[in-house]
Structure formats: C-alpha cells, structure tokens
Amino acid sequence: MQIRTRFSMSADGYVATPDGWPPLVRDPGFVSGQSHGFPEFQQRCEAVLMGRVTFEPALANDRWPWPNLDVFVLGSNVPTEGAPVPIVTDSDPTRLLEKLRAASRGGDVHLVGGPRTIETFRALGALDKLGLFVLPFLLGGGTMLTPSLSTDTRLALEEVHSLPEGGVEITYACS
Ligand SMILES: NC(=O)c1ccc[n+]([C@@H]2O[C@H](COP(=O)([O-])OP(=O)(O)OC[C@H]3O[C@@H](n4cnc5c(N)ncnc54)[C@H](OP(=O)(O)O)[C@@H]3O)[C@@H](O)[C@H]2O)c1
C-alpha cells in the first residue's frame, strides 16, 4: 500500500481558491472524476483518505467523487449522513492509519487533502508520494501548500507528464 497525493495547484502556486475550492474546479475542462487523468489514477487506488474539511462538500455533490473506493476521513466531528458508502472516521491520525492498513488489499491510497491532513500523515512518515499537478492558469490568491506542509520534506523527482487539459503532473518520492 502506498499513500499518495494528486493535488492540483494553479501556476502561481495556490492549492485552494480564495473561497476555499481546489483550483481544479476553476478549470473549464474539469469534469468531476472524469478529466485530468483521474479515471486512470483512481483505477490503481483502493481507498481515499482526507480531512474533514475536504470531505464535507462531497456530501452535497451531484456525483459521488470516489466510486468503488473505500473512504477514510480524519476528524473529530465528521458528518456522514447522505454518503452512499460507509465512511471510516477517526479523530486520531495514528488510529485511522491502523484502520487503513488493516483494510488494505495492496492497492494505493489517494490522500486527497487538504494541506493540514497531508502534513499530518507526512509527519507520521506515512506519505509515500507527493503528486502535484500544475494547472495552466493563475489565481492571484488563495491557500498555498506550505506553510501547512513542512518544508523539511525531502523530495526526489520520480515522474513528470503533461495532461491533455494543459496541466503538468509531477510526482515526488517523499522521505
Ligand atoms: N488542490 C487540491 O487538489 C485540493 C484537494 C483537496 C482539498 N483542497 C483544499 O484544501 C482546503 C482544506 O484543507 P485543510 O488543510 O484546511 O483541511 P483538511 O485537511 O481537509 O481537514 C482538516 C480537518 O481534518 C482533521 N485533522 C487534520 N489534521 C488533524 C490532526 N493532526 N489530528 C486530528 N484531526 C486532524 C480536523 O478535523 P476536525 O476539525 O473535524 O477535528 C481538521 O479540521 C480546502 O480549501 C480545499 O479546497 C485542495
């Protein structure tokens, strides 16, 4: 099991818009779960892992973003009503990681975000790959990956490729 992010960012480095949405949703080519290489990425994953703030909007989505994937959410007060699948939650990241490992069938885990949850699992030594994709537009403001993510993370470039929608995907191995 490898825990990996696939985090979108604008060309000027923002990972959330000023009103709190992932930059991806501002891309005119974005179709939830169907564009930007997500179908291929999700096929190699068996689960998604995220923080409560990232999870909550999915409950109101027309389309469930993680079909066929187990869902694990970190948080002390995670609402789950309306979710079409069972949601595994815990307020303790170490305990949630144990639940994730106990359920593992060997596939990858998509650490969806947000920055605070990525840093939480990185600090536990559980983040294997930091995947980012840089979108071809500017936001001019919003949230950056750091300072939430510790800058002492050591990154080794593993893969780069361009996406049909004009973005560039970069994967780093973390240590
Ligand atoms: N660019 C992208 O691809 C992308 C992807 C996903 C999200 N985002 C953006 O990221 C932003 C949200 O990120 P965020 O960092 O603010 O929130 P988050 O990581 O999604 O969720 C934070 C919540 O997770 C729980 N949590 C996190 N660390 C914890 C720890 N060490 N111990 C216990 N609980 C912990 C807490 O839940 P409780 O408060 O319930 O205890 C905390 O309030 C949004 O703006 C979203 O749009 C961007």
Side-chain angles (χ1 to χ4, degrees):
M1 172 184 111
Q2 293 226 301
I3 298 183
R4 51 202 310 149
T5 67
R6 192 166 187 273
F7 220 56
S8 65
M9 62 167 53
S10 62
D12 51 349
Y14 294 102
V15 298
T17 64
D19 53 350
W21 290 96
L24 185 59
V25 305
R26 290 274 181 90
D27 192 327
F30 172 64
V31 184
S32 178
Q34 292 173 47
S35 62
H36 297 81
F38 274 104
E40 297 79 8
F41 179 69
Q42 288 190 341
Q43 262 177 16
R44 62 196 263 189
C45 296
E46 62 182 23
V48 286
L49 169 65
M50 71 200 83
R52 193 256 313 155
V53 174
T54 293
F55 171 72
E56 277 194 24
L59 293 170
N61 269 15
D62 291 341
R63 178 188 175 277
W64 184 244
W66 310 290
N68 309 317
L69 297 174
D70 296 340
V71 181
F72 294 80
V73 182
L74 178 63
S76 48
N77 190 18
V78 179
T80 56
E81 202 177 324
V85 296
I87 309 296
V88 180
T89 75
D90 209 297
S91 59
D92 181 88
T94 304
R95 272 201 313 258
L96 190 61
L97 202 52
E98 282 166 8
K99 291 179 184 177
L100 193 64
R101 291 197 166 123
S104 175
R105 301 179 300 276
D108 285 348
V109 174
H110 178 196
L111 175 51
V112 182
R116 281 185 287 166
T117 298
I118 295 175
E119 174 56 15
T120 294
F121 288 104
R122 187 213 64 83
L124 288 173
L127 177 64
D128 297 298
K129 309 283 178 193
L130 180 69
L132 302 168
F133 58 102
V134 183
L135 295 163
F137 55 82
L138 306 169
L139 283 177
T143 307
M144 306 198 85
L145 189 53
T146 56
S148 283
L149 203 70
S150 164
T151 51
D152 65 12
T153 312
R154 289 199 301 167
L155 304 176
L157 181 64
E158 204 173 81
E159 206 181 325
V160 179
H161 80 269
S162 53
L163 300 174
E165 295 84 2
V168 178
E169 182 171 7
I170 305 161
T171 307
Y172 297 102
C174 303
S175 58

